[in-house]
Each structure stands twice: as C-alpha cells, then as structure tokens.
Amino acid sequence: MAKIDSDKEDVPVQLNASSLAPAPDMSRRIATGDEHPVCPLSIHDMTVAYHRKPVLWDIDLDMPEGKLIGIVGPNGAGKSTLIKACLDLIPKASGLVSYYGKPYSKQRGLVGYVPQRESVDWDFPVSALDVVAMGRYGKIGWCRPVSKAHKKAAFDALDRVGLADYAKRQISQLSGGQQQRVFLARALAQEAKVYFMDEPFAAVDAATEKAIVQILHDLKSTGRTTLVVHHDLQTVREYFDWVVLLNMRIVAAGPVEEVFSQENLQKTYGGKLTLLDQAAQAMAGIKQ
Amino acid sequence: MTWLEIDTWIVVIAILCAVSCSLLGNFLVLRKMSMMGDAISHAVLPGLAVAFILTETRASFTMFVGAAIVGLLTALFTQWVHSFGKVDGGAAMGVVFTSLFAIGLILIKAGADHVDLDANCVLYGSIELAPLDKIQILGWDLPRAAFVMGLILILNMVFVGVFFKELRISSFDPDLATTLGINAQLMHYLLMAMVAITTVAAFEAIGSILVIAMLIVPAAAAHLLTDRLLHMILASAVFAAISAGLGHLSAITLPRIIGFEDTNTAGMIATMSGVLFAFVVILAPRYGILSKALHRLALNLRILREDILGLLYRVDELKLVDRPAMTYRQLREALNTGPIQLQLALRRLRRSGRLKVTSRGYELEEPGRKRAQQIIRSHRLWETYLAEHFALPLDHIHAPAERVEHFIDQQMQDDLALETSTPTSDPHGKVIPPTTNS
C-alpha cells in the first residue's frame, strides 16, 4: 500500500490518495496475501498509455486460482486495455505480468482469450467449426494442417456450447448469441488454464446467457481461472466469486461479498476520479 | 481470327500473372486492405529504379530484392504514418505510395533514362511483346515472362498452401493469432513482401493497372460466390484465368467487330474481369442482386397469400352470411394489390387446397381456414403484447401487427401467449382463436 503511493512521486499531478487508495488496497492484500506462492495471474505495477496518455495506472493484482472474476467499471475505465496488456497485444509503459510465475511469452498455451464479438468481420468465409478450430492453432504449430484429432476437439467444444448442429454454417448465418458461443467454444478448444473474456454477455439472448454461465461454472469446477469483463452490475453477485472494480486504477479487488459495496461502486462510477483523468489529459498535453 | 503460337503464349503468360495475383488478392480483400495492392504496385517503382541503376539489367534478382524491400517499406511507412502521425490508414497509404511512386519516376527520368524502362510500360505493360523475349530452359525455348511468372505462381501457391492456417487466422482475428504465437504483424509483412515480388514480376508483362485489377477483382467476385476460404481462393483463381483468356480473345476479335484496328490485351483483360464481376454481382447464388430480388418477391407473394386467407377469415368472423365468399374484384380492392401478384397468389392457394372457387367467388377450404386462424392468432397476440408492454394508442397497434404476423412461427406464438398470459381477446375486443397446431 505504501509502496503504491510512493510510486506516485514521479507523476506530475498529485493524486488524491484519500479518495482512491486505502480501502481498495487493504481488501486487495487481505484477499490475496501470500497464500498463493504461484498464482495464475499476477500483475505487478503495470501502467499502460496510448500516445503518452495513461489509460491504466499502476495496476497491482494477484488473481486467486479457480475463481470466476468479474471486471467492472464505467466506459473508458480501461477494462479491455487491461486484458490486451496482459496478453501482450498492446505495449505496457511499465510493469510485469506473469502467469504461474512466468511471463506470457512462455505461457501462451495456458491462456485463453475471448475478444469482443465486434472485433472481427463475421462475413469472413469460414464455418463455425473453422473458427473454433482456430483455438487449436497454438497447439498445432506453424505450417501444419488441422488434423482430424484437432477437428474432433473443436467439434466437441462446439457441442459443449450447444452448437453442434451449426458446425458447417458460415458464421454470418448465425445469430449474435450463437456467434458469441462460437467464440466461447473457440476459447474452450484452447484448453487453457486462465481465461480472459471481453464482454461475453454483451447483447446476447437468454439461451446464450445461460450457456455462458454454465460454461463459466464448468471452467471453475475444473480449477480454471476466468476473468470476465462485465457490464451488468445486477448480475455480478450472481455470476462471480471475485470482482475487480476498475476505473483507470483498481478501485477495489477481492471477493464479491467484501468489495462489491455501494461505497466502492460509488468510487468506481462516481465523479471522484476526475483528478485522475485531469492528470492523464495533462500528460497527453491536452489543455482543458 | 487467326490464332498463332504467340497468342497461346500471351494467354499463358496472362493466366500465370492473373492467377498469381489473385491468390494473394484474397487475403488483401479479406483484410479490407485491397488498396494496399494498389499502393505497393506503385510504390515499388523506386526499388526497381535503384536496382536498375545499380545493375543495368532488367528482371535480375536484385530487381526483385529491391522491389520486395520497397514493398515492405511501403507497408511499414504506412503503418508509421498511421500510428505516429495519427493519420487515417487510407490517407497514410495515399501519402506513402504517391511519394514513393514520384521518387521512382524521378529516378527513372534522371538515372535510368538511357535504358528502356519507361513509365508507360510500367503502367500498361507489354504483354503482346512478352512472348518474343525468349530464354533457354533445359533446351526449351521459353518466353522469359512465362518462366518467371510460372516460378512466381508456384511460389505463391506454396506460400498460400504452407501458411494457409496462419493466413486465415491472422486475417480473421489478428489479436487471437498473436496470442496463440502466430504473429499477425509478421504474417502481414510476409504477405506484403509476396505482393511486392508478385507485382514486380507481373507488371513488366501486364502493367501495374492490370496487376491491381487481378489482385482485387477475382477475390472480390469469389467472396460473393463462396462461404469457405479454400473455395474462395480456388474460385478467384478460376475467375482470374477466365478473365485472362477471355481478355485476350476479345482483344483480338472485338476491335475488328466494332471497327478498330487493334487493342491492348492487358486493357481487355481488366475490362473482361470487370464485366465478369458485374455478372457475379447480379447472379451470385446467395449474395447476388437477382437472388435477393427473387427472395423478396417470394416473400411478398407469401405475405399476399396469407393476407388473402386472413381477409376471408375476418369476413367469415362477421357472420353476415352463412358461408361468405369474395369475388376477385372484391379481393383486389380490399388488398390493394396488382393483378399479376394476386393471380399468382390465388392460383397457388387453390392448388394447395386452401381455397376453392364457387359461383359466388373464393371460399376458404379447411386447410386454408386453419392457416388463417394461425395468422389471426399471431396478429392479435402481437397486438395484445404491444398494448401491454408499450405506451401505444390502440389505433397504432394494428399496422405493426399486420407486418409481424407473417414472421411469427409456432415457437414465438407460444412464447407470446405465455408472455401475455394466454388472453382470449385482443385489445380491440376481438376473439383470439386457439392455435390449430397441436
């Protein structure tokens, strides 16, 4: 806690520590502590900036194993950025991320990713099965064709999300919810231990929502750690064991019953973080 | 028309060029960077010029290397201008390739003027003369262009074949590819290098305009024709080959017919690919204009048939007469529709046993009544649903229900009934009939 605040020295604008730090930091430390010597995902002092404008500040997180973790926060809080930085898809200004004690480049096979549905072109000429099989590409390796065994694994994953009958459909011929389930099946086909999901519940039908919840529980019961960017505050308590409240910084992180409080939500979504935003604008050279 | 050996070679060279380009073009089109082919094919000019000035020969190995390097630089510069200059991707490309092309032109004018590399040739190519420039390969007299393009085609086939999986995933979902260890950036630059090499090899024969056409048009057409990447690649190759063949054929036949002396094969190939593309746009099975129009027509006819049944059902409901019937004229006025559609709809309804004609006019048969009851049920349930859930005045709920009723299947109808707690009458007080599907 003291460490994090002292790191702030070099930031040009003094951050208002009283409004941000104490409560969340304490819950973070209590929840994780040192009882997980090698935790599935450990983020240490990570800062991410776009064009010198920080979008994530000093993220420190140790994720517990085998939990369903929701990441919530307002638009522009840096939820997707957090995931992408953890996956080395965007550069970090500083900080370290490790999976079971090793950097991402050594642990790719252990990490699965479900991007936002809108991130791809659904008119692309591939079938649902083709897309799911992409989850196996890491295991197949460069320049080798998709073998029967891998196709079977992909089909099984598709079956698990209830889309076995749609395997041969071109992906634009699927409903939005079905497309989301195809993405989920692709992540399952990756057979990872840590999963990142970027808004899997966004604009899906009831059947898909149920299927996703079922899959999340399956992942949990088999000891997987799953981080889900989530928008619907109503369902946080119902779906997740753990929650990360994010608004450019971590406002609070810990077991849902401990940190998902009205007070923390107020801090995350309320207007109290304007100082942080002002500092970011100043660093990007934008005059207000 | 006389077909000479040189014509055969022209077609062979054209096909080799067109197919080579089309293979790579698929990935440009799918990555929504079709104009990158345009940019690279222009921007390689300074690479060619420098290689040319250094070695003083054409089609040398250095020329390919020079072109590949500048091709990569084009992609790289575009990326830089885009991200560091905060300029839109298309604009960045425009800035980079025009600058490079201009530098190339200056270099050619200034340094390479004494050798025959002229700007016109770069733009339009000279495929008619290509077969005359022969080399000996294993004792065989082969046009140099055919040999070079044959190699390029094999190279591209191997590239697409070996990296099929990697190209597919990095085109579809570059982020996922990168997280899986298939570096999408690397694939991007590899593809750009291949485009640069192919462009250089092809445009001496067919010119850069045709190179651009062959990079984009066959792939764009194939995308409309197929739903699988492999099929798309094969279809684009076939499309390219047909364009090339037809292009030359029309170049030597058409001008005479319309009274010109001669025309340019490369130009005709590009024209032919445009014509073929137009055919595909109109006739493609699923995405074509014609197929969409036919689907719309079929849908409109189905709606009309259901409206006829619904109308007769409602008349029957009034119980004005014992067994009501409507004449053709009455139907036309009530439904406000054209005679052809109405005739088609009525004929179909009679043939499927839903309607019969008596001396008094058209009457519902039992299957027709059942279908009509389903439609009316859907209509009134929808009205109830709208009235319950939305702040709509009663006179505003009929029109939307009139449209939606045709798209409500049994499942939705059951859900609607459940949602509105199985009402027996609609908001206007009319009876909601029970379902006839049990």
Side-chain angles (χ1 to χ4, degrees):
Chain A
M1 178 180 149
K3 183 187 76 51
I4 284 185
D5 281 338
S6 68
D7 280 352
K8 292 284 82 59
E9 300 294 328
D10 53 353
V11 175
V13 173
Q14 186 63 47
L15 288 164
N16 188 344
S18 67
S19 72
L20 298 171
D25 266 358
M26 260 154 68
S27 61
R28 210 148 79 214
R29 289 295 167 240
I30 291 165
T32 60
D34 293 324
E35 66 267 33
H36 300 286
V38 182
C39 64
L41 169 63
S42 173
I43 305 172
H44 182 70
D45 210 7
M46 180 174 82
T47 294
V48 181
Y50 280 127
H51 299 296
R52 288 194 5 258
K53 180 180 174 184
V55 280
L56 282 175
W57 305 65
D58 315 295
I59 304 296
D60 253 309
L61 269 178
D62 286 316
M63 294 298 180
E65 186 159 30
K67 297 277 190 246
L68 292 177
I69 301 153
I71 304 174
V72 297
N75 287 331
K79 303 185 293 290
S80 298
T81 306
L82 176 68
I83 289 184
K84 287 187 174 169
C86 286
L87 293 168
D88 284 357
L89 288 173
I90 49 176
K92 296 181 267 289
S94 66
L96 288 171
V97 175
S98 62
Y99 297 84
Y100 293 99
K102 289 183 193 151
Y104 179 65
S105 55
K106 294 218 163 44
Q107 303 281 51
R108 287 182 193 284
L110 296 182
V111 186
Y113 176 38
V114 180
Q116 285 188 20
R117 180 148 48 89
E118 302 79 43
S119 65
V120 302
D121 169 20
W122 290 93
D123 284 330
F124 202 87
V126 283
S127 68
L129 187 64
D130 289 336
V131 174
V132 177
M134 287 178 190
R136 309 290 299 177
Y137 284 11
K139 293 192 194 315
I140 298 169
W142 280 83
C143 305
R144 277 193 242 143
V146 184
S147 67
K148 275 221 171 89
H150 286 296
K151 267 198 188 135
K152 173 81 169 58
F155 186 82
D156 289 347
L158 205 51
D159 197 22
R160 272 180 73 187
V161 299
L163 289 178
D165 294 342
Y166 297 84
K168 295 204 165 149
R169 281 255 185 119
Q170 198 265 328
I171 51 176
S172 67
Q173 310 292 315
L174 299 170
S175 75
Q178 289 168 336
Q179 291 174 346
Q180 189 65 59
R181 278 188 271 165
V182 166
F183 260 16
L184 206 64
R186 185 175 71 175
L188 292 178
Q190 282 185 264
E191 292 178 352
K193 295 192 75 169
V194 180
Y195 281 104
F196 290 99
M197 302 188 182
D198 203 344
E199 303 216 14
F201 291 104
V204 297
D205 52 290
T208 299
E209 181 151 349
K210 235 171 92 182
I212 299 175
V213 169
Q214 182 58 47
I215 294 294
L216 289 180
H217 281 283
D218 289 354
L219 289 174
K220 182 187 166 183
S221 63
T222 49
R224 265 84 168 198
T225 308
T226 312
L227 289 95
V228 182
V229 170
H230 197 59
H231 247 346
D232 183 11
L233 294 177
Q234 310 276 335
T235 49
V236 168
R237 277 175 201 283
E238 189 186 334
Y239 292 168
F240 302 108
D241 315 313
W242 242 63
V243 67
V244 176
L245 294 164
L246 188 77
N247 192 349
M248 299 175 77
R249 285 189 68 178
I250 289 179
V251 176
V256 172
E257 59 272 18
E258 282 175 33
V259 303
F260 196 64
S261 64
Q262 200 57 47
E263 191 196 344
N264 282 335
L265 280 173
Q266 186 63 42
K267 279 186 199 160
T268 313
Y269 287 86
K272 291 194 177 173
L273 295 168
T274 47
L275 269 178
L276 211 55
D277 198 40
Q278 277 176 28
Q281 304 273 10
M283 289 167 82
I286 300 166
K287 293 219 167 62
Q288 295 199 322
Chain B
M1 181 191 92
T2 45
W3 190 269
L4 307 170
E5 194 201 334
I6 191 173
D7 290 307
T8 310
W9 278 121
I10 289 174
V11 170
V12 167
I13 294 168
I15 288 177
L16 290 173
C17 290
V19 175
S20 300
C21 291
S22 72
L23 288 182
L24 302 178
N26 286 291
F27 298 99
L28 294 179
V29 166
L30 287 175
R31 297 161 76 112
K32 308 206 186 305
M33 45 192 311
S34 308
M35 294 326 282
M36 202 58 173
D38 190 353
I40 287 182
S41 64
H42 282 86
V44 291
L45 200 59
L48 287 181
V50 169
F52 202 45
I53 293 164
L54 290 178
T55 62
E56 304 234 323
T57 51
R58 288 195 311 180
S60 61
F61 182 69
T62 24
M63 207 123 160
F64 280 114
V65 174
I69 290 172
V70 182
L72 278 179
L73 285 180
T74 311
L76 210 60
F77 287 162
T78 303
Q79 187 60 40
W80 285 351
V81 172
H82 172 54
S83 51
F84 295 122
K86 292 193 192 176
V87 174
D88 159 72
M93 203 185 285
V95 170
V96 170
F97 94 79
T98 47
S99 308
L100 287 173
F101 185 63
I103 293 171
L105 282 179
I106 294 168
L107 283 176
I108 287 178
K109 278 280 166 222
D113 223 13
H114 56 287
V115 261
D116 73 319
L117 181 84
D118 74 303
N120 272 345
C121 173
V122 170
L123 281 180
Y124 311 119
S126 54
I127 196 165
E128 288 85 353
L129 303 176
L132 303 177
D133 178 12
K134 297 205 172 179
I135 48 167
Q136 286 260 328
I137 302 289
L138 304 170
W140 236 37
D141 243 2
L142 218 59
R144 196 172 47 82
F147 174 69
V148 172
M149 284 321 296
L151 282 184
I152 294 290
L153 179 59
I154 292 169
L155 187 68
N156 284 351
M157 281 163 69
V158 169
F159 173 71
V160 171
V162 168
F163 292 111
F164 184 74
K165 188 166 103 282
E166 286 74 16
L167 284 166
R168 171 156 72 184
I169 190 171
S170 58
S171 302
F172 176 64
D173 193 344
D175 278 358
L176 182 85
T178 304
T179 65
L180 291 174
I182 296 167
N183 192 321
Q185 284 285 3
L186 180 71
M187 289 311 298
H188 172 71
Y189 289 118
L190 213 53
L191 180 64
M192 291 308 125
M194 294 302 291
V195 169
I197 291 170
T198 307
T199 303
V200 174
F203 79 25
E204 191 189 352
I206 61 176
S208 64
I209 301 294
L210 186 53
V211 167
I212 298 162
M214 285 301 127
L215 279 170
I216 301 168
V217 182
H223 195 11
L224 289 172
L225 288 170
T226 61
D227 273 343
R228 290 291 181 282
L229 183 55
L230 185 62
H231 300 173
M232 177 175 163
I233 292 171
L234 295 175
S236 73
V238 171
F239 184 100
I242 293 176
S243 305
L246 275 182
H248 183 63
L249 197 65
S250 55
I252 56 177
T253 54
L254 270 187
R256 304 270 156 75
I257 296 170
I258 53 176
F260 286 129
E261 199 45 49
D262 206 352
T263 187
N264 172 292
T265 292
M268 283 312 284
I269 294 175
T271 309
M272 273 300 145
S273 73
V275 170
L276 287 178
F277 183 79
F279 274 115
V280 169
V281 167
I282 295 166
L283 299 174
R286 191 186 300 166
Y287 306 108
I289 292 172
L290 192 67
S291 118
K292 280 185 182 152
L294 284 175
H295 273 117
R296 220 168 18 243
L297 192 68
L299 174 67
N300 286 341
L301 279 176
R302 179 171 71 83
I303 289 175
L304 181 58
R305 288 198 301 274
E306 295 183 350
D307 282 343
I308 295 170
L309 296 177
L311 181 63
L312 285 165
Y313 185 92
R314 286 192 171 94
V315 172
D316 190 18
E317 233 178 8
L318 297 173
K319 299 284 173 219
L320 297 176
V321 287
D322 184 24
R323 278 176 41 244
M326 285 181 86
T327 63
Y328 177 77
R329 183 183 295 274
Q330 285 171 324
L331 278 173
R332 246 197 93 175
E333 275 166 18
L335 293 164
N336 190 22
T337 178
I340 299 170
Q341 296 99 296
L342 188 55
Q343 287 287 3
L344 281 172
L346 286 171
R347 188 183 308 170
R348 174 82 179 269
L349 284 169
R350 279 171 60 190
R351 264 200 301 201
S352 62
R354 289 183 165 159
L355 223 57
K356 66 179 172 191
V357 197
T358 63
S359 55
R360 300 177 302 132
Y362 291 93
E363 278 182 52
L364 279 178
E365 290 269 48
E366 196 46 34
R369 165 177 304 284
K370 276 188 176 164
R371 180 79 198 102
Q373 190 169 327
Q374 281 299 98
I375 297 159
I376 299 294
R377 178 174 165 79
S378 294
H379 179 100
R380 292 180 182 164
L381 280 173
W382 189 255
E383 286 187 331
T384 313
Y385 172 73
L386 287 184
E388 267 182 26
H389 286 80
F390 304 95
L392 281 170
L394 276 191
D395 58 343
H396 277 53
I397 56 176
H398 174 77
E402 192 61 30
R403 180 76 188 161
V404 172
E405 64 183 16
H406 305 288
F407 300 93
I408 294 178
D409 61 10
Q410 191 59 48
Q411 178 64 45
M412 255 182 94
Q413 197 185 74
D414 294 346
D415 290 348
L416 266 177
L418 215 61
E419 179 81 30
T420 51
S421 34
T422 328
T424 50
S425 62
D426 72 5
H428 304 293
K430 288 186 177 152
V431 176
I432 297 179
T435 176
T436 54
N437 285 356
S438 50

